């Protein structure tokens, strides 16, 4: 039976009980000692360390609320308690020893196959936090269903279910983001107009998250979310594709063909009324220019003559390059994290670089020794000018003031994001905001008197009840 926790019961359930210490990371380079404590809720053991205690209690509330919804939709209750391991920043998350291999920059969370532990970092953005938590919780439900609650002893059941990646990841995105979100719509529009919607033969070879989310949404809309749960449960007896046919009454090939037809009917008329990007713009940096497949976090110089960006051109890591701002032709490679002893990685998922107003310097965030530094370089001499170490867990999107004397950035402490400034020589660190709201991507006004930034604060955000914009996280 699914129980809905009242406020009093919830408060008791979230009372932290300090059990034996855990240390996730013995076999990886360690820069910090994480003295994990445990918050025990009705269904979860949430591991946290003291400086992230406040956000850990919020995650515990989110976890129980998400469990109520998922257990009802999937008609399944956990056989035993599940672990959630929370880190205060992505840099500290990269020190975990869970999950087998190394944790790279794009990895925002994972659930390990054997013990079903949900591991992820706080990003300073509650909507993003809720998304990752619920995405990984869907994997916990999948693994628990297929292993029949037997944990490591049930791995054979997961193997027998043989779920394709588009189902596993698409289902996790669907139940954490909903049937439609901006990113998925972008992928579908592009695939529809370019004639590149996947078919049954190549679906497993394309990016599973957005296409998988769209297919699960199609199933949910046509047959109901209960069908998604029934297919998942039925996968234990003969595999997921066979279960899909039993529940829906059509073959896998028929499903994908009908889904693709529905996508085209939905998006092609809409696309026909839009002006195509190629009609008003042209590609600047492409594979032909740089040799890389991905070109990320671009920053245009103040006079527009140069652009710096991160690219995977060497195939080892994302490194800095400079290109002509008019032709897109690569001028030179700047810094290489893959061979540098100073940086482990440059932040490119949630961060970007910025030029000084005089066009002489570039500032960016880089991971080193388990933390994020602010790095200032002279791109023309390809020389580091200053490396600013900060007493914070994470740093993103640093930006010079117009006179170059200060840097504003989004910093993480205890899993929450706030705005900070620091002098360009590394002195006088100041905290400008101090709240639970997401404070991201700050930039100075031309006169240097004000700072604009991205935030989720506003009339539609109530972090006390964890209602964030369109995302309403409440008891169902």
């Amino acid at each position: 039976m699914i129980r809905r926790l009242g406020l009093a019961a919830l408060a008791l359930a979230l009372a932290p009980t300090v059990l034996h210490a855990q240390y996730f990371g013995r076999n990886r380079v360690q820069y910090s000692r994480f003295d994990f404590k445990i918050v025990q809720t009705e269904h979860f053991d949430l591991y946290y360390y003291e400086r992230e205690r406040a956000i850990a209690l919020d995650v515990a509330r989110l976890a129980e609320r998400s469990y109520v919804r998922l257990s009802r939709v999937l008609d399944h209750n956990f056989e035993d308690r599940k672990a959630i391991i929370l880190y205060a920043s992505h840099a500290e998350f990269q020190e975990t020893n869970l999950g087998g291999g190394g944790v790279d920059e794009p990895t925002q969370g994972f659930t390990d196959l054997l013990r079903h532990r949900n591991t992820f970092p706080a990003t300073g953005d509650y909507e993003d936090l809720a998304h990752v938590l619920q995405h990984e919780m869907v994997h916990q439900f999948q693994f628990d269903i297929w292993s029949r609650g037997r944990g490591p002893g049930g791995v054979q059941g997961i193997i027998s279910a043989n779920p394709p990646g588009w189902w596993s990841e698409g289902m996790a995105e669907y139940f954490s983001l909903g049937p439609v979100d901006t990113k998925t719509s972008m992928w579908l529009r592009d695939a529809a107009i370019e004639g590149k919607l996947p078919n049954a033969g190549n679906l497993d070879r394309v990016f599973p998250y957005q296409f998988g989310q769209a297919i699960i949404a199609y199933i949910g809309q046509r047959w109901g979310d209960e069908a998604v749960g029934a297919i998942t449960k039925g996968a234990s007896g003969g595999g997921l594709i066979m279960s899909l046919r039993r529940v829906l009454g059509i073959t896998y090939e028929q499903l994908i063909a009908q889904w693709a037809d529905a996508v085209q009917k939905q998006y092609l008329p809409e696309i026909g009324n839009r002006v195509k990007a190629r009609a008003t713009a042209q590609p600047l940096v492409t594979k032909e220019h740089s040799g890389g497949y991905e070109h990320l976090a671009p920053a245009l110089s103040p006079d527009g003559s140069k652009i710096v960006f991160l690219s995977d051109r060497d195939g080892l890591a994302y490194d800095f390059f400079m290109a002509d701002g008019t032709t897109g032709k690569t001028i030179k490679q700047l810094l290489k994290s893959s061979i540098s002893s100073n940086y482990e990685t440059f932040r490119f998922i949630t961060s970007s670089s910025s030029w000084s107003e005089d066009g002489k310097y570039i500032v960016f965030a880089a991971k080193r020794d388990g933390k994020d530094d602010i790095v200032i370089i002279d791109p023309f001499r390809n020389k580091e000018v200053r490396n600013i170490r900060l007493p914070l867990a994470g740093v993103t999107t640093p930006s010079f003031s117009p006179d170059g004397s200060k840097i504003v950035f989004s910093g993480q402490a205890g899993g929450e994001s706030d705005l900070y400034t620091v002098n360009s020589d590394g002195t006088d660190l100041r905290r400008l905001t101090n709240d639970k709201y997401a404070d991201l991507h700050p930039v100075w006004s031309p006169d240097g008197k004000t700072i604009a930034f991205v935030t989720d604060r506003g009339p539609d955000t109530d972090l006390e009840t964890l209602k964030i914009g369109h995302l309403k996280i409440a008891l169902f």
Side-chain angles (χ1 to χ4, degrees):
M1 184 178 72
I2 299 172
R3 298 193 330 178
R4 289 180 172 84
L5 294 177
L7 293 178
L10 184 61
L12 290 174
L14 299 186
T17 302
V18 180
L19 303 180
H20 61 283
Q22 295 282 336
Y23 194 45
F24 308 109
R26 290 187 180 88
N27 299 325
R28 190 161 294 155
V29 176
Q30 296 296 297
Y31 304 104
S32 306
R33 178 74 186 184
F34 302 116
D35 184 14
F36 281 96
K37 298 178 175 61
I38 303 176
V39 173
Q40 289 191 318
T41 69
E42 185 176 6
H43 301 97
F44 300 96
D45 292 332
L46 192 152
Y47 293 82
Y48 73 100
Y49 36 97
E50 189 59 36
R51 60 179 174 273
E52 56 175 2
R53 175 184 170 83
I55 199 168
L57 294 177
D58 287 339
V59 170
R61 294 164 61 202
L62 282 169
E64 286 298 336
R65 293 177 178 186
S66 298
Y67 178 87
V68 168
R69 173 187 173 229
L70 291 173
S71 62
R72 185 194 66 185
V73 172
L74 300 176
D75 189 27
H76 181 79
N77 293 306
F78 287 162
E79 295 291 334
D80 55 10
R81 304 173 65 80
K82 303 297 182 185
I84 298 174
I85 296 94
L86 179 68
Y87 287 86
S89 71
H90 199 278
E92 294 180 351
F93 169 57
Q94 288 181 277
E95 295 185 52
T96 186
N97 196 44
L98 300 176
V103 177
D104 57 11
E105 175 79 5
T107 302
Q108 300 301 301
F110 60 83
T111 302
D112 64 272
L113 190 68
L114 291 178
R115 301 188 182 278
H116 313 169
R117 292 170 295 197
N118 180 345
T119 307
F120 61 96
T123 63
D125 181 336
Y126 269 78
E127 187 166 9
D128 181 61
L129 184 77
H131 167 214
V132 176
L133 168 68
Q134 291 175 105
H135 179 106
E136 298 304 330
M137 191 179 294
V138 171
H139 290 320
Q140 289 179 312
F141 270 94
Q142 291 169 340
F143 295 162
D144 198 67
I145 290 170
W146 294 328
S147 68
R148 302 183 188 277
R150 294 198 294 268
V155 172
Q156 188 57 47
I158 300 175
I159 296 173
S160 297
N162 193 25
W166 66 265
W167 181 273
S168 297
E169 299 300 344
M171 179 178 165
E173 287 291 89
Y174 175 69
F175 283 120
S176 59
L177 290 175
V180 178
D181 75 303
T182 303
K183 186 187 297 184
T184 299
S185 295
M186 177 186 70
W187 277 69
L188 294 178
R189 277 194 297 268
D190 181 70
I193 196 171
E194 298 294 338
K196 294 183 178 179
L197 282 170
N199 55 48
N202 65 11
L203 184 56
D204 282 333
R205 297 194 295 274
V206 300
F207 196 62
Y209 292 80
Q210 272 64 56
F211 288 126
Q213 177 189 1
I215 296 170
I216 301 296
Y218 176 73
I219 294 173
Q221 181 182 31
R222 184 172 171 183
W223 289 277
D225 287 349
E226 293 78 7
V228 178
I231 294 168
T232 303
K233 281 195 165 184
S236 298
L240 193 133
I241 298 301
M242 186 177 294
S243 176
L244 186 150
R245 182 169 185 170
R246 286 197 302 266
V247 174
L248 302 185
I250 59 176
T251 66
Y252 164 61
E253 291 77 13
Q254 288 173 322
L255 170 67
I256 302 307
Q258 291 175 19
W259 163 77
D261 183 57
V263 170
Q264 291 180 353
K265 288 180 179 178
Q266 177 183 353
Y267 283 98
L268 286 179
E270 174 191 342
I271 294 169
N273 296 324
R274 293 173 180 248
V275 177
K276 297 179 181 179
R278 64 173 66 98
T280 58
Q282 61 183 14
L284 182 61
V285 178
T286 67
K287 184 178 186 297
E288 289 71 26
H289 287 126
S290 72
Y293 287 94
E294 295 182 351
H295 310 94
L296 307 170
L300 192 65
S301 63
D303 64 2
S305 65
K306 304 290 187 298
I307 185 171
V308 294
F309 61 96
L310 288 157
S311 175
D312 62 343
R313 187 170 94 170
D314 291 341
L316 297 175
Y318 289 87
D319 296 319
F320 269 107
F321 293 83
M322 179 188 290
D324 185 279
T326 302
T327 67
K329 183 179 180 180
T330 300
I331 297 173
K332 62 178 175 179
Q333 183 170 6
L334 298 178
L335 303 176
K336 295 187 67 173
S337 64
S338 55
I339 63 173
S340 172
S341 60
N342 294 326
Y343 323 109
E344 296 171 41
T345 183
F346 301 126
R347 294 301 185 196
F348 61 88
I349 296 295
T350 58
S351 188
S352 60
S353 58
S354 175
W355 291 76
S356 61
E357 189 66 26
D358 59 11
K360 293 181 178 180
Y361 304 105
I362 293 171
V363 62
F364 57 89
K367 179 178 179 289
R368 179 168 71 95
D369 295 346
K371 302 291 182 183
D372 290 336
D373 292 354
I374 291 177
V375 181
I376 301 173
I377 66 166
D378 178 340
F380 301 100
R381 294 188 296 164
N382 201 13
K383 179 180 179 181
E384 181 181 305
V385 176
R386 184 163 290 107
N387 188 303
I388 302 175
R389 296 287 281 167
L390 298 164
L392 299 171
V395 171
T396 59
T397 54
S399 177
F400 281 112
S401 61
D403 64 4
S405 64
K406 294 181 180 294
I407 298 170
V408 65
F409 62 94
S410 180
Q412 279 186 258
E416 298 176 355
S417 63
D418 286 296
L419 300 185
Y420 295 80
T421 60
V422 66
N423 289 342
S424 297
D425 63 3
T427 63
D428 195 23
L429 175 66
R430 296 190 180 188
R431 188 174 192 165
L432 303 183
T433 61
N434 190 356
D435 52 57
K436 289 186 177 182
Y437 296 107
D439 299 328
L440 309 168
H441 306 289
V443 292
W444 298 85
S445 62
D447 61 7
K449 293 181 179 179
T450 56
I451 294 169
F453 62 100
V454 175
T455 181
D456 57 4
R457 67 188 71 216
D460 293 328
T461 301
D462 182 359
L463 292 181
E464 292 304 315
T465 59
L466 297 174
K467 176 186 174 185
I468 308 166
H470 69 279
L471 183 65
K472 298 179 181 179
I473 307 164
L475 290 174
F476 288 81

